């Protein structure tokens, strides 16, 4: 049943929606051109996208991908292990490996070689030890339950927090999952014997449990690295295998009967409830669809058990990783991967682009800088902070907790040499220094609440090359491909897209009405500037909305008949709606018509000619 939003009654609701939109949405933005051509060695005129700045809520004062250090930062470019609690900026860690964030914004960190669990409390500004030995930089290893610092761990790898504030630790050295209550009591939750067995509590066996993720029902998902499987642990401690049949290889398909993994390491839950898994041995990122019970490749080389190593961005199926470990997902479908042996953090966008977000090979300790200018030293795990729109990084061999800002604008892949972008407003600037082929660049904007994106094609040519401009414009009720700059002799195709309920009325090329077949028009062998303009018409009238006369309805207090006048030459469909927005009468009206409403009960109704504002009537 067709419904209409009635403007007078819904004004308050619509007004709230607009206000909420200003708070929660990042404005649609696009550049005036869909394709730009720049000349090598010629400084470009700065340009930015078209958007309403008032619709973009505040972002961080740091640019997108800015890396900072949360905890102690040494004076030099190298860091030494420590175990000091106290003020966050002075606290030291020993090989931080696992990291998670609770609902209050606190961070919890496992120290692989410190054999401790630490807490970073941003409200108090302090770091404290939750559990494990604090007598030395390398805390004593063991399997001892107890309270706080009485407990002992052996290579705690990852950590997760449930809805009640309980912490769970994947402990590779003891082949078990430990539990820490909010009061600090440490117990062995499941496992403790090296092997492979499903079952309850102590009956279950693991072989080097490595990564942890937890869902809204407090089910734990574990990467059982030595068994090359993905396991599930319910809140009551029942362990089952949900993916992998053992053996280090790279087979997709049915999660249990076909799929194989090669040293699965990191694990996270994406916005759709799928498990995203990194393979430290396979150099891949995989996905377990829990609804379909299938495993598929997200990114990396799937040609062999151990995929080709590297640090290559771009197409996910051609991208290369080197021992990826940590993984995190945000609410927009972005996947973040800590590439341990390449010392960087990568981003996999839903638009299927792999992008180096921060860090570069070499391994050192440099921050307060942007993206790939920063150094990490074997980043191990990641925690995504939804509220503050940032990533926290357990920087394993820098013995520190780092932070990557994720608000602002960014582009992927990297622009041609000499071209840059202001990450606060997406203004593009520079002087190209090398010829570069025409390439689509994904420009994304993020604030604390939302994201949006657009595509811009950029090409760099020699300074002597002739370049022409095709300017495109569209009337309301439809779109056309944005203007393009084109190299002499090339073709350029423009796509025309009417809004729903409208069709192309007229296309003018260089001011002359031109017939167009289908929804595209192509300029061939371009040797001059051109213009293309399109207007649209309503499918119901053959007239554009601007040309329709306002509908007149009388009397507004109707008995058995109402009269509808549209003006001479207008023919439209007229619908009458009840107060709930349901269509109760439909008539094709030419010029004017008397419509019987005798059968309708008394009440308020709305008369609407398609494409024209509605009029209210009351039937007594």
């Amino acid at each position: 049943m067709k419904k209409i939003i009635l403007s007078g009654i819904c004004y308050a609701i619509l007004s709230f929606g607009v206000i909420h939109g200003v708070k929660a949405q990042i404005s649609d933005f696009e550049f005036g051109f869909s394709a730009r051509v720049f000349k090598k060695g010629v400084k470009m005129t700065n340009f930015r996208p078209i958007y309403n700045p008032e619709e973009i809520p505040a972002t961080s004062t740091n640019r997108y991908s800015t890396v900072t250090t949360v905890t102690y930062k040494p004076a030099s470019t190298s860091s030494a292990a420590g175990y000091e609690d106290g003020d966050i900026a002075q606290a030291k860690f020993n090989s931080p490996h696992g990291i998670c964030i609770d609902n209050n914004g606190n961070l919890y960190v496992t120290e692989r070689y410190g054999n401790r669990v630490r807490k970073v409390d941003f409200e108090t500004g302090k770091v404290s030890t939750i559990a494990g030995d604090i007598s030395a930089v390398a805390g004593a290893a063991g399997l001892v339950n107890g309270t706080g610092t009485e407990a002992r761990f052996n290579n705690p790898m990852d950590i997760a927090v449930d809805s009640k504030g309980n912490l769970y630790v994947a402990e590779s050295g003891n082949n078990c999952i430990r539990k820490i209550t909010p009061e600090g009591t440490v117990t062995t939750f499941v496992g403790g014997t090296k092997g492979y067995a499903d079952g309850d509590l102590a009956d279950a066996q693991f072989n080097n449990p490595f990564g942890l993720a937890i869902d809204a029902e407090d089910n734990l998902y574990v990467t059982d690295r030595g068994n090359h499987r993905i396991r599930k642990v319910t809140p009551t401690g029942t362990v089952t295998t949900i993916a992998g049949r053992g053996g280090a290889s790279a087979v997709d398909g049915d999660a249990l009967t076909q799929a194989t993994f090669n040293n699965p390491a990191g694990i996270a839950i994406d916005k759709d409830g799928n498990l995203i898994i990194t393979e430290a041995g396979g150099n891949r990122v995989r996905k377990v669809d829990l609804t379909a019970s299938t495993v598929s490749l997200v990114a990396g080389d799937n040609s062999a058990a151990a995929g080709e190593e590297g640090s290559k961005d771009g197409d996910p199926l051609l991208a290369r990783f080197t021992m990826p470990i940590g993984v995190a997902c945000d609410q927009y479908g972005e996947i973040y991967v800590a590439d341990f042996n390449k010392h960087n953090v990568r981003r996999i966008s839903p638009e299927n682009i792999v992008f180096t977000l921060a860090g570069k090979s070499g391994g050192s300790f440099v921050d307060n800088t942007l993206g790939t200018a920063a150094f990490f030293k074997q980043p191990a795990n990641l925690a995504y902070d939804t509220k503050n729109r940032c990533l926290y990084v357990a920087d394993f061999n820098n013995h520190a907790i780092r932070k990557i800002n994720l608000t602002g604008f960014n582009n992927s892949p990297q622009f041609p040499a000499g071209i840059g972008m202001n990450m606060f407003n997406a203004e593009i600037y520079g002087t190209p220094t090398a010829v570069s082929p025409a390439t689509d660049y994904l420009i994304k904007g993020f604030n604390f609440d939302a994201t949006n994106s657009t595509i811009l094609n950029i090409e760099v040519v020699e300074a002597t090359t002739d370049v022409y401009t095709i300017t495109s414009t569209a009337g309301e009720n439809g779109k056309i491909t944005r203007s393009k700059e084109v190299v002499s002799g090339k073709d350029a195709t423009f796509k025309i897209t009417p809004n729903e309920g409208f069709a192309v009325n007229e296309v003018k090329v260089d001011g002359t009405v031109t017939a167009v077949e289908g929804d595209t028009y192509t300029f061939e062998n371009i040797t001059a500037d051109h213009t293309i303009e399109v207007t649209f018409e309503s499918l119901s009238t053959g007239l554009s909305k601007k040309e329709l006369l306002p509908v007149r309805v009388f009397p507004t207090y109707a008995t058995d008949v109402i009269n509808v006048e549209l003006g001479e030459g207008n023919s439209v469909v007229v619908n009458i709606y009840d107060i709930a927005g349901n269509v109760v009468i439909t008539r094709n009206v030419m010029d004017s018509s008397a419509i019987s409403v005798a059968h309708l009960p008394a009440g308020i109704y709305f008369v609407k000619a398609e494409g024209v504002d509605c009029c209210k009537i009351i039937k007594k």
Side-chain angles (χ1 to χ4, degrees):
M1 183 176 293
K2 187 174 181 181
K3 295 192 175 183
I4 181 173
I5 296 176
L6 306 174
S7 59
I9 293 174
C10 296
Y11 177 78
I13 297 173
L14 291 175
S15 296
F16 172 78
V18 171
I19 294 169
H20 183 266
V22 170
K23 283 186 67 177
Q25 298 181 27
I26 191 165
S27 170
D28 288 340
F29 70 94
E30 60 182 24
F31 293 88
F33 284 75
S34 62
R36 299 295 310 265
V37 180
F38 302 110
K39 295 184 178 183
K40 176 184 173 183
V42 178
K43 184 177 180 179
M44 68 175 70
T45 300
N46 294 7
F47 68 101
R48 65 176 63 176
I50 302 166
Y51 60 83
N52 180 0
E54 294 179 358
E55 294 181 6
I56 302 182
T59 58
S60 168
T61 54
N62 287 321
R63 293 177 290 173
Y64 185 89
S65 78
T66 298
V67 178
T68 54
T69 299
V70 175
T71 53
Y72 175 74
K73 180 184 176 182
S76 66
T77 56
S78 61
S79 178
Y83 67 117
E84 289 84 352
D85 286 336
D87 292 342
I88 290 176
Q90 300 302 318
K92 296 181 181 180
F93 289 79
N94 182 1
S95 307
H97 198 277
I99 188 169
C100 71
I101 187 168
D102 69 12
N103 291 331
N104 296 317
N106 301 306
L107 290 178
Y108 296 92
V109 181
T110 59
E111 293 182 304
R112 181 174 180 181
Y113 298 143
N115 294 308
R116 285 178 288 267
V117 177
R118 313 282 291 282
K119 178 182 179 179
V120 181
D121 188 324
F122 291 106
E123 184 174 342
T124 64
K126 301 293 184 180
V127 172
S128 58
T129 299
I130 298 297
D133 180 29
I134 58 172
S135 64
V137 172
L143 178 54
V144 178
N145 292 321
T147 301
T149 56
E150 298 172 356
R152 297 292 179 264
F153 297 88
N154 188 355
N155 278 347
M157 305 301 292
D158 202 4
I159 191 166
V161 59
D162 71 11
S163 62
K164 300 177 180 63
N166 297 299
L167 297 171
Y168 297 88
V169 178
E171 198 173 357
S172 67
N174 287 321
N175 297 297
C176 65
I177 310 297
R178 308 285 287 281
K179 178 179 179 179
I180 308 173
T181 68
E183 296 75 30
T185 301
V186 180
T187 57
T188 301
F189 184 47
V190 289
T193 301
K194 184 176 181 178
Y196 168 65
D198 288 337
D200 295 331
L201 301 175
D203 293 333
Q205 296 178 357
F206 295 87
N207 183 359
N208 190 10
F210 203 89
L212 292 178
I214 196 163
D215 66 17
E217 281 71 47
D218 289 339
N219 294 299
L220 276 174
Y221 296 91
V222 185
T223 53
D224 194 2
R225 185 170 176 176
N227 284 318
H228 309 289
R229 290 177 168 95
I230 311 303
R231 316 284 290 279
K232 176 182 178 180
V233 187
T234 68
T236 58
T238 299
V239 178
T240 56
T241 300
I242 62 169
R245 54 187 173 87
S249 61
V251 179
D252 290 335
D254 182 271
L256 274 175
T257 63
Q258 295 174 297
T260 57
F261 298 88
N262 187 342
N263 286 275
I267 185 168
I269 301 174
D270 72 9
K271 68 181 183 65
D272 298 317
N274 303 304
L275 300 180
I276 305 299
I277 295 156
T278 57
E279 289 184 304
N283 300 307
R284 285 177 288 265
V285 181
R286 312 279 290 283
K287 179 174 78 173
V288 178
D289 185 323
L290 294 176
T291 301
S293 191
T294 57
V295 175
S296 58
L297 177 68
V298 174
D301 176 20
N302 214 36
S303 63
E308 181 182 343
E309 294 183 352
S311 186
K312 183 178 179 181
D313 288 341
D315 184 330
L317 301 185
L318 300 176
R320 296 295 177 260
F321 302 85
T322 304
M323 199 175 178
I325 292 182
V327 63
C329 302
D330 72 13
Q331 68 270 45
Y332 308 123
E334 308 284 342
I335 299 170
Y336 305 93
V337 177
D339 207 1
F340 191 76
N341 275 354
K342 285 297 181 181
H343 312 288
N344 57 29
V345 177
R346 318 281 289 281
R347 187 187 84 189
I348 306 171
S349 292
E351 294 86 359
N352 286 324
I353 296 176
V354 177
F355 163 70
T356 299
L357 174 66
K360 57 184 173 182
S361 295
S364 186
F365 200 120
V366 175
D367 71 353
N368 290 323
T369 188
L370 194 66
T372 54
F375 281 92
F376 293 93
K377 192 179 289 185
Q378 294 184 313
N381 263 298
L382 307 172
Y384 174 68
D385 185 341
T386 303
K387 181 180 178 182
N388 294 301
R389 181 75 191 146
C390 65
L391 276 179
Y392 291 103
V393 183
D395 195 2
F396 182 69
N397 261 327
N398 273 324
H399 309 291
I401 307 303
R402 317 287 290 282
K403 178 180 176 181
I404 306 175
N405 175 54
L406 296 176
T407 64
F409 292 89
N410 77 297
N411 59 280
S412 56
Q414 187 175 350
F415 281 146
I419 300 178
M421 186 176 74
N422 184 322
M423 293 187 173
F424 290 118
N425 61 17
E427 183 175 69
I428 296 175
Y429 58 88
T431 301
T433 59
V435 171
S436 180
T439 302
D440 283 339
Y441 294 89
L442 175 67
I443 316 295
K444 303 197 79 168
F446 298 90
N447 55 42
F448 293 116
D449 304 300
T451 182
N452 217 317
S453 65
T454 190
I455 298 290
L456 177 65
N457 186 278
I458 292 177
E459 181 178 5
V460 179
V461 298
E462 295 290 355
T464 55
T465 304
D466 291 327
V467 176
Y468 298 102
T469 300
I470 302 177
T471 304
S472 66
T473 55
E476 60 183 45
N477 300 317
K479 294 182 179 180
I480 187 172
T481 303
R482 304 188 306 279
S483 301
K484 294 184 177 184
E485 291 176 339
V486 187
V487 172
S488 177
K490 288 190 176 181
D491 300 341
T493 297
F494 288 77
K495 184 174 182 179
I496 301 167
T497 308
N499 291 345
E500 185 177 355
F502 291 83
V504 174
N505 176 42
E506 185 177 77
V507 176
K508 289 184 178 180
V509 175
D510 297 329
T512 301
V513 176
T514 304
V516 174
E517 294 183 6
D519 61 355
T520 60
Y521 182 84
T522 299
F523 292 87
E524 298 179 343
N525 191 27
I526 296 164
T527 56
D529 294 338
H530 295 284
T531 62
I532 180 169
E533 180 182 3
V534 59
T535 57
F536 303 92
E537 62 183 6
S538 169
L539 289 172
S540 60
T541 66
L543 297 173
S544 71
K545 183 176 178 181
K546 284 184 176 180
E547 295 170 320
L548 278 172
L549 296 174
V551 62
R552 191 166 81 92
V553 177
F554 60 93
T556 55
Y557 284 87
T559 53
D560 293 335
V561 174
I562 62 168
N563 296 293
V564 178
E565 288 187 354
L566 301 170
E568 187 176 354
N570 288 331
S571 175
V572 298
V573 174
V574 172
N575 289 318
I576 299 179
Y577 300 84
D578 64 18
I579 190 68
N582 302 312
V583 177
V584 293
I585 295 176
T586 299
R587 294 285 187 275
N588 289 309
V589 175
M590 179 68 179
D591 298 339
S592 63
S593 180
I595 299 177
S596 173
V597 292
H599 65 288
L600 296 179
I604 298 173
Y605 297 89
F606 297 84
V607 182
K608 181 173 172 59
E610 296 303 315
V612 181
D613 290 340
C614 61
C615 299
K616 181 172 73 174
I617 64 171
I618 299 174
K619 185 170 186 288
K620 292 185 176 180

